[in-house]
Amino acid sequence: MPVTSTETPPQAPSADPPERRGLAARVRLGAVFAPVSSEFLLIASTALLLTGFGLVMILSATSATATAAGQQPYDAVLKQAVFAVIGIPLMFIASRLPLSFWKKAAWPGLIAASALQLLVLTPLGVENDGNRNWISIGGLQAQPAEFLKLALALWLGTVLFRKQALLGKWRHALIPALPVTILVIGTDLAGGDLGTAMILFVVALAGLFFSGVKLRILLVPLTLSAAAVGFLALNSSNRMARIMSFLNPDTTACYYNECYQSLHGIWGLAGGGILGLGLGNSKEKYDWLPAAANDYIFAIIGEELGLVGCLVVLALFTIFAIGAFHIVRRSNDMFVRVVAGAIGVWVIGQALLNIGVVLRLFPVLGVPLPFVSQGGTSLISVLLASGVLLSFARNLPPKPAARRTAAPDDADPIA
């Protein structure tokens, strides 16, 4: 009679041996500290340098008038520093998120940003200089339109990525991209902010361009936007006054009205010369130049740090552009190309527009200098956009290894 053994067979170990666990831990730790691409370093370093430089210039531009008003000289820079402390970690957290996250977040992000922008039409909205584009909650003001720029870029990337095989036909290239973009810009124009609306249009145009849409198809949104800008300018006395003052060669006639801010901005730049008056020695910031820490902070940079300081700022934005457009060039993913191109055009285009206003190349439009101007919402949105670029930079395909060219000494000798 067979005997059945009651002994249980030996069980497999429940965990890997200690040496395997140690190896896995080293692999995971190595992934965290793995070398990053040059694009990652370019974007992250310029974002941090411009943010820190902006804090210094905000302190310089606001401390004198705050002291004269009986306030603490560090109030403005401390408020901006709080947003920097929030935005910089958000940038690096965003850099760790996968591409799939940004694709899934596109539609919810655009809906949430549009709903937030519509709050300006409620009792929470705050009006300033004819524009109602701020909300105030518990004494804290925010400009929701800043988040529309990033949300629109991500949404366009997702939609155009899904339709990439059909973009040769105009109806697939423009629908739903054009109608949704018009609705998004409409939520901003409801508050009267034409400057931000122009930036949103540039973001949409850049997204279509980097998706590979035929250039003749882009004539449709270009024509519509030009007609819309002309209509909105003609139907606003405030906008027409700013445009006419910009075109008026006799600036003495409008010095105390529409030309006042732009003239003091150009005088501040001219007064700095090549090396500037020195950090903290601006004269225009003593209540001569309105919005010295906001839209016209570049004038204070030119006055205190001179042409050299202005060139340094332009060089940093150039490096940021190189990092962003290198991502466009190296990526094989249309979603990455569209979003990275749109963000790059947004940041660099807005910087050039702000500097052009200070130089009196454009009429006053009320757009901040990215990373540098005072404004917490603007700073957080542009840092978060930089985080999206950093996430793309982490997922770039490796560069092809350079082929080694044989030196003459390496060649086989001829018998």
Side-chain angles (χ1 to χ4, degrees), residues 29-36 394:
L29 189 62
V32 173
F33 294 100
V36 293
R394 287 185 183 276

Side-chain angles (χ1 to χ4, degrees), residues 36-82:
V36 293
S37 65
S38 58
E39 291 82 5
F40 187 100
L41 294 176
L42 291 176
I43 293 170
S45 59
T46 50
L48 294 175
L49 287 172
L50 284 168
T51 301
F53 180 74
L55 293 175
V56 174
M57 295 311 303
I58 289 170
L59 174 62
S60 177
T62 59
S63 57
T65 51
T67 302
Q71 303 171 356
Q72 294 296 323
Y74 305 106
D75 280 352
V77 71
L78 287 178
K79 291 179 181 178
Q80 187 76 358
V82 169

Side-chain angles (χ1 to χ4, degrees), residues 84-365:
V85 169
I86 295 172
I88 291 173
L90 277 178
M91 178 178 72
F92 287 109
I93 291 172
S95 74
R96 307 295 305 184
L97 298 176
L99 297 184
S100 58
F101 172 85
W102 300 115
K103 293 177 181 178
K104 293 177 182 177
W107 272 103
L110 186 65
I111 294 171
S114 301
L116 192 63
Q117 171 62 23
L118 290 175
L119 290 179
V120 302
L121 304 178
T122 69
L124 295 175
V126 177
E127 186 171 345
N128 185 23
D129 292 333
N131 292 343
R132 191 180 179 88
N133 271 291
W134 292 266
I135 57 175
S136 179
I137 302 176
L140 182 65
Q141 284 195 7
Q143 191 172 4
E146 293 296 330
F147 297 116
L148 283 175
K149 303 169 185 176
L150 177 58
L152 182 60
L154 289 170
W155 180 84
L156 283 169
T158 301
V159 170
L160 296 174
F161 168 75
R162 292 175 179 175
K163 302 184 70 173
Q164 56 185 310
L166 304 171
L167 294 181
K169 301 177 180 179
W170 70 267
R171 60 182 180 273
H172 289 288
L174 298 181
I175 299 172
L178 185 58
V180 172
T181 299
I182 291 174
L183 288 175
V184 170
I185 294 176
T187 62
D188 175 70
L189 287 176
D193 187 2
L194 183 59
T196 302
M198 293 174 65
I199 299 297
L200 288 170
F201 165 74
V202 169
V203 169
L205 194 64
L208 289 171
F209 175 81
F210 287 106
S211 70
V213 169
K214 296 178 181 179
L215 293 179
R216 65 174 181 268
I217 296 177
L218 297 180
L219 292 176
V220 176
L222 276 172
T223 304
L224 292 175
S225 64
V229 169
F231 174 79
L232 293 170
L234 291 173
N235 284 272
S236 171
S237 58
N238 184 27
R239 296 190 189 107
M240 282 302 300
R242 284 185 286 178
I243 293 173
M244 295 308 296
S245 67
F246 165 72
L247 298 174
N248 187 4
D250 184 14
T251 54
T252 57
C254 60
Y255 171 75
Y256 290 104
N257 299 304
E258 292 84 12
C259 298
Y260 181 87
Q261 185 173 18
S262 58
L263 284 177
H264 278 279
I266 201 72
W267 290 344
L269 278 174
I274 296 178
L275 299 177
L277 303 178
L279 188 62
N281 292 329
S282 168
K283 299 175 182 177
E284 293 293 337
K285 69 182 182 182
Y286 287 91
D287 259 349
W288 289 103
L289 178 62
N294 306 99
D295 302 341
Y296 272 79
I297 197 167
F298 191 74
I300 304 300
I301 294 172
E303 187 179 11
E304 295 190 349
L305 303 179
L307 178 63
V308 174
C310 294
L311 291 177
V312 169
V313 173
L314 290 174
L316 289 174
F317 278 111
T318 302
I319 295 171
F320 185 93
I322 292 172
F325 294 125
H326 270 206
I327 292 175
V328 177
R329 182 176 61 86
R330 287 186 54 194
S331 178
N332 299 321
D333 191 329
M334 176 185 280
F335 171 78
V336 172
R337 293 199 303 270
V338 170
V339 178
I343 291 175
V345 171
W346 153 29
V347 175
I348 303 306
Q350 184 170 315
L352 293 177
L353 191 60
N354 174 276
I355 294 170
V357 167
V358 176
L359 293 172
R360 277 184 63 82
L361 298 177
F362 307 115
V364 178
L365 295 172

